[in-house]
Amino acid sequence: SQQGEEDPQALSIQEGENATMNCSYKTSINNLQWYRQNSGRGLVHLILIRSNEREKHSGRLRVTLDTSKKSSSLLITASRAADTASYFCATDASGNTDKLIFGTGTRLQVFP
Amino acid sequence: NAGVTQTPKFQVLKTGQSMTLQCAQDMNHNSMYWYRQDPGMGLRLIYYSASEGTTDKGEVPNGYNVSRLNKREFSLRLESAAPSQTSVYFCASSEQGPKRPQHFGDGTRLSIL
């Protein structure tokens, strides 16, 4: 069963706007990762946040983690058409931190 | 800089046929994974290999077998394909240990008629 559920399932915005995607998970984690998947391609790792971190930045990406609510958010600022992709959160599986459990993803469409 | 290479990219099978999906990585990673991706389901782990010679079942292993041929290669075999196995299959690899990102191939799109 999925550990993570993303919200919304789909998001459409204009270039220059910010995009926020949320991920909720069910059990305790050691870390949470976000991945991007362009159409017809494999997933690409974006950023990892550890359970003892609350916020992390990488370029135009900002990730927050609230372990008390078992939720994370990914913010993409000043979106570009090239950001059009599906975004997945992934959490480490209980007892084995090499394995990941992926959420169902958010499909982001950025219109020029 | 190939990363993770999957072959074939597309395949159509008839029910009951067998086939092997190939995966190779050139990053000297210990851990390798096979996932399937279905619409609305995200990625689900089929099998996992922590090192050469070891394999472990994931969430949806039924109907599949795997072989970790060496450190570079990890193959997935469908012995008797069923329509329910129509999916996109992804191979990934990572360094061993916690907090390691996974690196993915571009997938094999498999249709079973």
Side-chain angles (χ1 to χ4, degrees):
Chain A
S1 60
Q2 304 309 127
Q3 161 79 305
E5 296 288 336
E6 276 95 338
D7 171 61
Q9 289 187 336
L11 179 61
S12 295
I13 59 173
Q14 296 291 132
E15 262 191 335
E17 294 181 336
N18 295 340
T20 299
M21 288 156 269
N22 302 297
C23 168
S24 60
Y25 57 91
K26 299 174 183 175
T27 62
S28 297
I29 61 171
N30 295 300
N31 63 79
L32 185 145
Q33 302 181 34
W34 283 91
Y35 287 78
R36 183 188 74 230
Q37 183 181 32
N38 290 89
S39 180
R41 304 297 299 274
L43 279 71
V44 175
H45 179 259
L46 293 175
I47 194 166
L48 179 150
I49 186 166
R50 303 178 187 186
S51 60
N52 62 354
E53 297 176 312
R54 291 297 167 257
E55 187 170 313
K56 200 163 183 179
H57 296 254
S58 177
R60 293 185 296 112
L61 305 181
R62 173 179 167 248
V63 170
T64 61
L65 179 64
D66 187 335
T67 53
S68 67
K69 295 181 179 178
K70 292 186 170 60
S71 67
S72 174
S73 67
L74 171 67
L75 168 68
I76 304 174
T77 59
S79 297
R80 305 166 182 168
D83 294 328
T84 294
S86 291
Y87 293 82
F88 295 88
C89 67
T91 55
D92 54 306
S94 173
N96 184 326
T97 53
D98 280 9
K99 294 181 185 177
L100 295 176
I101 302 177
F102 286 84
T104 51
T106 292
R107 293 188 310 279
L108 173 66
Q109 175 81 53
V110 182
F111 291 99
Chain B
N1 195 6
V4 178
T5 302
Q6 291 184 237
T7 56
K9 295 188 185 305
F10 302 92
Q11 184 70 48
V12 179
L13 294 178
K14 294 181 179 179
T15 297
Q17 287 185 316
S18 63
M19 90 161 288
T20 300
L21 281 61
Q22 306 288 351
C23 174
Q25 52 93 7
D26 62 3
M27 295 171 283
N28 203 36
H29 287 164
N30 280 313
S31 299
M32 296 187 74
Y33 315 81
W34 275 106
Y35 295 91
R36 60 177 289 172
Q37 184 177 34
D38 302 294
M41 296 291 290
L43 273 76
R44 291 182 291 170
L45 183 66
I46 304 171
Y47 270 95
Y48 157 70
S49 171
S51 62
E52 182 180 351
T54 67
T55 60
D56 191 15
K57 293 179 180 179
E59 184 185 354
V60 289
N62 291 345
Y64 305 96
N65 287 303
V66 290
S67 295
R68 184 72 183 270
L69 304 171
N70 47 53
K71 192 170 186 179
R72 289 186 65 249
E73 299 172 290
F74 188 36
S75 62
L76 178 72
R77 183 163 177 82
L78 287 69
E79 291 290 351
S80 180
S84 62
Q85 294 176 305
T86 293
S87 188
V88 182
Y89 291 86
F90 287 98
C91 176
S93 70
S94 71
E95 295 178 20
Q96 203 163 32
K99 300 184 287 293
R100 302 297 189 180
Q102 293 185 11
H103 301 260
F104 285 78
D106 281 337
T108 294
R109 284 145 188 84
L110 182 61
S111 293
I112 299 161
L113 307 177

